[in-house]
Amino acid sequence: MIKRRNFLQLTGSTLATLGMSHLDIINQGNRYAKVLAENTPRKLALLVGINEYRGRSFEKNLQGCVNDVRMQKELLIHRFGFCPDDIITLHSDQTRDDLLPTRKNILYNFEEHLIRQAKPGDVVVFHFSGHGIRLKDPKPIKDCNPNFLEYNSALAVMDGIDDIQDKKYVLDIMGRTLFLLRLALLKQDVTKVTMLLDSCFSGGGTRGNFVERSITGDGSNPHPKEIAYQEDLMRKLGIKDENTFKELRCRNNGNGVVIASSDNATQSYDGQIVSNLNAGIFTYFLTQYLWQETNTVGKIIAEIKNPIQIIAPGQEAVVDGDETQPIFLIDTKSAPPSEGIISKIKGEEITLWLGGVESQSLANMQKNAKFAIFNNRGEVLGEVALTSPINILDSKKTNILEAKAKLLSQSANLNLQPGMFIKEVSRIIPANLKLNIGLDPSLTKDIGEARENISKINRMEPIPAQANTLYSKKVQYILGRLTKDNRKKQTNRENLPDIDTIGLFSESLEFIPGSFGKPGESITDAISRLKPKLTSFLAMHILKQTLNPNSSKLDIEASISLLEQPNTIITKTQTSIVKSNQTQAKETYSRVLPMNKLFQFEIKNNTPENLYVIVILIDVTGKPYVVYPYQNRIRNETLQIKPSESLIVGKPGQIELQALEKGTAEALIVTSRSELKNAAKMLQQLVRETRGGGRGEANKPIDISRGGGNGVAVIDNLLDDLSGSRGGSMQSREVKAENVATLSMSFEVG
């Protein structure tokens, strides 16, 4: 379920600065009315991103907000049909003063670009990525919310500090401001309004490799200009007194939808999605999802909740408005699902923009990866191959997510142009892929020894924290001590390890259950103890490079249900080819698996041919088990699913599947047109080593973390099967979307 809130109750009550004195909302004319036909709807957007807070003494500037704006702009233009001239971007990398995200510029452009131009039927989008702050509320409204806090959440602008008579005030834009601006649009019958706010309103600081998008030090005072601006706008809107405003606010008489990346009690995070690509976690997963499919606001937020919480437990988007409306309140799909577009053509060199590619494959997008070119009707017109790895971020920090390519083939009617859509045909899995392990500053004097010991483990790379406690590369896990400080930050507070014990954390500094040792353990002994776990983490990291639900050409569905309630699905996933064939309303699932209950998987092969499948369950401690196949005798034929049939894993008389510990678990389902002979042989060898020659423990999951590095060997052999290669981990391997589907299902056990 999506947490509901009245955005107006969380945000604020002081709107004042930037003079709207020239804005007569009631009588204003539309200066474009003479040019545009009355019945022609426009799509207007104002996108704001603030990385650098010049002149403000915050602990941390941000790194992903400008990228949020760039990703959102490409999405609006190419996926939702916005005209580039109708999108204004204000961000802290701009060189022109009038395009910097100051309070004056933000509100001026909101008035001039959105309010003055919008007409009934037009679509309006306002996006803000940056810090949030909570300010004292001089006119608190307690009637709407019994849990009211006497603070107002606000959007921290780049120039928000001002001193008057030795008392500090801030110029930040408060929620009351935003509400009144929405009312200004509603006054002229503009109802298709979406506000996306990727900031948070409490806390501050860092967590692992992420920065919280909030400012410490609640309780600053709103500027008198903000109060005056608010009162002036109320007058122009015909709101006679505070009681009238309270009534409007409590009834939520705004228009459109406001989507906030978190509520006022939790955090929104800014950090590395992949190495060198910083973004807001919410904005990244929202835009990446929307390249693939559209949906209602509520269902989109439900769909992206899981990947967000895997990286940032506790962060959960909230909605104010009708969540049954389509995203951006646009009823029709403007473009087919894609991974990106052709952005530039210069002679024979083609530049691709790859903002729709999943993060797992984005991190290792290599030379020779292939993409199909297709038009608005989904017709494939040609194929390109990368001539260079993806450029996550260039030296000027402008051309993010670009890669150079060349044309391989084309149909007779291909007229190659910028803006044409692309979809992945094949990807290259890099040779000798490594797992990056961050070294937390809590290791203090042991960091050098930790670095040396981790470097001795095959395909592990230690990454020390920098002076700002962040990491130079994307890290998958962090090695550190549980301190009093990071103990307070744990979202999952059950069964916490002892203070000063050594173990593993997620990249957002959530502790990994089962990874902590005893007090007094040396760093060398801790790493030796953790080696099998790290090796199994590496195996899953390698396998996840094949995740391709959006690009696979195989028609596959997978779901989890309780054995006692087989018709009630807990979670479900499918390839996009399945999604595109489904016209019925998309369902939302609980994604919560009760503890101590038997459950089962169902994998549907909707193709007209035999497929081969392996199912891996990753428990809440991160330990991977092969749950299909599970027999003592494993052959290639064991892995087969026949055409238009389903495989049930966990039904009575077979393997028993049961969750015994709370936390986040994950299942990986690998299906292939090719036979999985190498993987089957490797699994059979593992059965012999771990089941006493294959004579005991029948119908039990295969623990691939046992037997040294066998987990990595199983995955390397599986990649050889999927790619048709025999080179093992020492050479890059091509995995084709027409032959392979790898799906992931994450769920909570509780």
Side-chain angles (χ1 to χ4, degrees), residues 415-427:
N415 179 17
L416 197 63
Q417 296 179 9
M420 299 189 81
F421 300 102
I422 56 173
K423 200 168 186 68
E424 187 181 33
V425 172
S426 69
R427 71 180 56 162

Side-chain angles (χ1 to χ4, degrees), residues 109-126:
N109 281 282
F110 201 109
E111 299 168 19
E112 292 294 321
H113 181 61
L114 301 182
I115 295 174
R116 280 191 178 273
Q117 295 194 73
K119 299 182 298 181
D122 286 353
V123 172
V124 170
V125 174
F126 173 71

Side-chain angles (χ1 to χ4, degrees), residues 53 58 60 62 128 130-133 154-156 199 212-215:
Y53 280 79
F58 301 135
K60 300 288 180 185
L62 299 170
F128 178 88
H131 276 306
I133 186 172
L155 308 180
S199 60
E212 297 169 353
R213 285 187 170 181
S214 59
I215 296 165

Side-chain angles (χ1 to χ4, degrees), residues 47 68-80 87 291 341 343 353 355 400 402:
L47 313 178
D68 286 358
V69 165
R70 292 171 177 144
M71 291 189 296
Q72 189 72 265
K73 182 177 180 180
E74 296 293 334
L75 176 80
L76 292 178
I77 292 171
H78 299 291
R79 185 79 164 109
F80 290 92
I87 300 176
W291 275 98
I341 50 121
S343 59
W353 190 84
I400 66 168
E402 286 191 347

Side-chain angles (χ1 to χ4, degrees), residues 273-275 354 357-371 386 388-392 401 403 424 426-436 474 476 541-547 732-734:
I273 303 300
V274 297
S275 291
L354 298 167
V357 175
E358 294 174 325
S359 60
Q360 292 286 353
S361 56
L362 189 64
N364 297 295
M365 190 62 66
Q366 301 288 305
K367 181 179 178 180
N368 296 322
K370 299 181 179 65
F371 291 84
L386 299 192
S388 67
I390 185 172
N391 182 29
I392 301 295
L401 301 176
E424 187 181 33
S426 69
R427 71 180 56 162
I428 306 298
I429 309 300
N432 211 25
L433 192 67
K434 293 184 177 182
L435 191 72
N436 292 337
K474 169 81 169 179
Q476 284 74 48
H541 176 61
I542 297 168
L543 179 58
K544 287 183 179 182
Q545 306 311 306
T546 68
L547 284 169
S732 297
R733 286 166 283 197
E734 182 180 25

